[in-house]
Amino acid sequence: MSSGDILLAQSAINLLDRIPASDRARYIDVVIASPFGPVRLAALNLIAAGKSSTDYEPFLWRTVFDRQGSLRSAAVRLLLARGLDVVAQCNAMLGTKQLTSRQVPAALSLLSEQHAPGIVATLTNYVSDPRPAVRAHAVALQAKVLPSLRDEIASRALLDQSRKVRKVGVRLCTSGAFVPLALIKTMLARYGDCRAALAICARDKWDSLASIALIAELHPPCDDGPIDLKQVLRDWIEDPRSLWTKPSGEPHLILSNSEILLRLLGLAGDQAPQLRTRLREAGVDCFGGSPIVE
């Protein structure tokens, strides 16, 4: 059952029914520690099918903090069926500060799923946790619990020093949260997260061009490897969708900056005339109506 081979482990599980119930608990203890989710689930199914023996409760409490959501939910159902206060115990375990960086996210998910009283305050505490994995999970849950604050939550996440947390911010933005270009510029200056900036600004063709311009202006060392910015700009120029709209607000202000615009035209290379025409047609001219020079 502790085999690193899932087929052998599952075969061993099938033999558990032949073991006397009085001896089964110690074997289930081994199964619960298996690295394979289906094997751990099989152990839970055995517990669920058996009598409500308190011998199995320690295993159920351990599974409450399992990394696999379906197992956590199954364990919670069994504990609740036994009349146990899962939320109180989960809060107590969090209070001990002894849960690992894998167990804390599971505990937070449980509290969120159970609509625990005080979940908002709990998540607020953990979005500042020193462990990036915990912060990232707490931020994602916070956005679910407080959907009206998704913009604010995404903004904070994008300025986190951990790329794992910033990725959560990107996911929030690509699913509807809005952050201004000024914040994206701050993120680029601090962390050089070019891919995050491009992913967020894909929401709008002119925001996308503005993000390319900001990267060209700041020259940040991209934290996850170099980006072929020339190719990104080439793809933008060859996409006709920008012909149907005009930039306004922040993207228009950024693209109207003469230094930024000249960098962008230089980056465009032999496609600079096409880009210049596109910009003029969109009402972008940072030289007060005079020709834009390269």
Side-chain angles (χ1 to χ4, degrees), residues 209 212 229-237 264 267-268:
L209 184 61
I212 297 170
L229 200 59
K230 288 186 177 182
Q231 184 59 51
V232 175
L233 179 57
R234 181 177 296 272
D235 292 341
W236 188 94
I237 294 170
L264 203 56
L267 187 67

Side-chain angles (χ1 to χ4, degrees), residues 15-26:
L15 298 175
L16 275 177
D17 277 334
R18 303 182 185 180
I19 298 173
S22 58
D23 297 328
R24 199 173 293 166
R26 63 192 182 97

Side-chain angles (χ1 to χ4, degrees), residues 215-245:
I215 295 171
E217 176 198 14
L218 297 171
H219 286 295
C222 295
D223 70 336
D224 56 345
I227 287 179
D228 187 349
L229 200 59
K230 288 186 177 182
Q231 184 59 51
V232 175
L233 179 57
R234 181 177 296 272
D235 292 341
W236 188 94
I237 294 170
E238 293 175 354
D239 186 338
R241 284 179 293 175
S242 61
L243 290 169
W244 308 329
T245 60

Side-chain angles (χ1 to χ4, degrees), residues 61-132:
W61 285 119
R62 283 169 54 186
T63 308
V64 159
F65 303 108
D66 195 278
R67 58 186 174 274
Q68 188 169 323
S70 59
L71 291 177
R72 293 196 304 270
S73 297
V76 168
R77 285 195 300 270
L78 289 171
L79 289 167
L80 290 175
R82 295 172 188 220
L84 298 171
D85 192 337
V86 178
V87 168
Q89 179 66 13
C90 187
N91 275 321
M93 291 298 294
L94 282 172
T96 66
K97 305 296 183 182
Q98 293 180 355
L99 296 182
T100 67
S101 58
R102 283 189 173 184
Q103 292 174 320
V104 171
L108 296 177
S109 289
L110 186 155
L111 293 175
S112 177
E113 291 159 4
Q114 295 297 313
H115 306 288
I119 183 60
V120 172
T122 300
L123 292 175
T124 299
N125 289 335
Y126 280 97
V127 294
S128 301
D129 193 272
R131 295 163 292 187

Side-chain angles (χ1 to χ4, degrees), residues 33-268:
S34 169
F36 304 115
V39 173
R40 299 196 302 278
L41 182 58
L44 275 183
N45 289 336
L46 277 173
I47 295 173
K51 295 178 181 179
S52 298
S53 171
T54 56
D55 291 342
Y56 293 139
E57 285 181 12
F59 312 133
L60 294 177
W61 285 119
R62 283 169 54 186
T63 308
V64 159
F65 303 108
D66 195 278
R67 58 186 174 274
Q68 188 169 323
S70 59
L71 291 177
R72 293 196 304 270
S73 297
V76 168
R77 285 195 300 270
L78 289 171
L79 289 167
L80 290 175
R82 295 172 188 220
L84 298 171
D85 192 337
V86 178
V87 168
Q89 179 66 13
C90 187
N91 275 321
M93 291 298 294
L94 282 172
T96 66
K97 305 296 183 182
Q98 293 180 355
L99 296 182
T100 67
S101 58
R102 283 189 173 184
Q103 292 174 320
V104 171
L108 296 177
S109 289
L110 186 155
L111 293 175
S112 177
E113 291 159 4
Q114 295 297 313
H115 306 288
I119 183 60
V120 172
T122 300
L123 292 175
T124 299
N125 289 335
Y126 280 97
V127 294
S128 301
D129 193 272
R131 295 163 292 187
V134 172
R135 287 202 309 279
H137 195 76
V139 167
L141 288 175
Q142 195 178 48
K144 290 182 180 179
V145 172
L146 300 168
S148 63
L149 298 180
R150 285 168 65 87
D151 294 356
E152 180 184 330
I153 293 167
S155 295
R156 288 199 307 269
L158 291 172
L159 296 183
D160 193 283
Q161 62 183 355
S162 167
R163 188 162 177 260
K164 183 184 292 289
V165 181
R166 294 199 301 275
K167 280 185 174 182
V168 176
V170 173
R171 287 197 297 271
L172 291 176
C173 289
T174 55
S175 63
F178 179 83
V179 296
L181 287 170
L183 185 136
I184 293 172
K185 182 175 182 178
T186 300
M187 179 191 69
L188 283 169
R190 289 185 186 178
Y191 307 117
D193 205 334
C194 302
R195 285 181 173 81
L198 293 171
I200 295 167
C201 292
R203 64 195 178 193
D204 174 85
K205 291 302 297 180
W206 292 102
D207 279 2
S208 181
L209 184 61
S211 70
I212 297 170
L214 289 174
I215 295 171
E217 176 198 14
L218 297 171
H219 286 295
C222 295
D223 70 336
D224 56 345
I227 287 179
D228 187 349
L229 200 59
K230 288 186 177 182
Q231 184 59 51
V232 175
L233 179 57
R234 181 177 296 272
D235 292 341
W236 188 94
I237 294 170
E238 293 175 354
D239 186 338
R241 284 179 293 175
S242 61
L243 290 169
W244 308 329
T245 60
K246 292 185 178 183
S248 61
E250 282 189 302
H252 189 280
L253 185 63
I254 290 170
L255 296 171
S256 296
N257 180 291
S258 58
E259 293 185 7
I260 292 177
L261 188 53
L262 288 174
R263 284 183 183 275
L264 203 56
L265 290 168
L267 187 67

